[in-house]
Amino acid sequence: MTGRPAPSVLPPSLRPWLGLIAVLAALVVGALGVLYSGHSEPGTVDRWIIQPTADTLGPPWRRVALALDFLGEPVGSAVLIVAGVVGCLLLRRPRAAVLVVAGVGTTVGATTLIKHLVGRTIHGSGNLSYPSGHAAFATALALMAALLATRRLGLGRTAGMSFVLGSALIAGAAMGWAQVGLGAHYPTDVLGGWCTALAVIPATAWLVDRIADRMTDSGRREHR
């Protein structure tokens, strides 16, 4: 036992700001859920951005959108999750590997639960759309990767927050573009998915750190 603490997955300098963002994101998810509960048509904001129920993408962009969409499907997402876990283990960051699994699980669980609670649909009653699980998944992965990179690069609060939020925005926007362009989601579904990940991942990371720290402290006491 060296007594050296394992690196946290949620950098201490970012915890207050990410906590605040998580609360605000949760409020947005809730507000949009109430606003569009039981709806089966695009809202005013959706119509202002694009007519989301029509496929608007032609080649070659449609192929790009389909490739992004595949990454959010069971096979594609499984490949990304395994790659993330293996990468964390190769970097000797088992706590980050746990976060990848727990973060994806909580994000998918949250989006699934909210979809059934809100009941918003697209293209028929069987297609629950709010929030977008694809957008939430992509944003969650980007957030977790950015948190790991922020800690390894030793970025400060301002640079770290900019990097983490920028990564989440780019990933969420890319997947959201694909989902809206393919007619699979309304734009506000994508916003809800993005905010779901912003609410879930910081909380999950904090919980992983807390549990891991308690287990480490307990192990030290047993070896004294």
Side-chain angles (χ1 to χ4, degrees), residues 132-222:
S132 168
H134 280 66
F137 173 75
T139 304
L141 282 184
L143 275 171
M144 292 184 288
L147 287 174
L148 177 60
T150 295
R151 190 60 191 257
R152 286 187 63 84
L153 295 174
L155 299 180
R157 183 178 63 186
T158 301
M161 283 297 299
S162 299
F163 180 66
V164 169
L165 294 181
S167 299
L169 178 60
I170 291 171
M175 184 62 82
W177 164 81
Q179 295 304 298
V180 173
L182 292 172
H185 282 285
Y186 306 113
T188 44
D189 294 336
V190 172
L191 176 59
W194 187 67
C195 287
T196 299
L198 284 175
V200 167
I201 294 303
T204 305
W206 176 84
L207 187 60
V208 168
D209 279 335
R210 191 168 182 83
I211 293 174
D213 289 341
R214 285 186 175 181
M215 291 176 64
T216 300
D217 291 341
S218 176
R220 286 173 180 167
R221 287 194 294 268
E222 290 178 358

Side-chain angles (χ1 to χ4, degrees), residues 41-80:
E41 298 290 337
T44 302
V45 175
D46 299 313
R47 291 191 181 96
W48 178 71
I49 296 175
I50 193 173
Q51 183 60 35
T53 57
D55 286 349
T56 58
L57 296 176
W61 293 111
R62 183 174 176 79
R63 291 174 184 158
V64 176
L66 288 171
L68 289 172
D69 178 73
F70 172 76
L71 295 178
E73 295 295 321
V75 175
S77 60
V79 171
L80 291 178

Side-chain angles (χ1 to χ4, degrees), residues 121-139:
T121 59
I122 187 171
H123 304 315
S125 60
N127 298 313
L128 297 173
S129 67
Y130 179 87
S132 168
H134 280 66
F137 173 75
T139 304

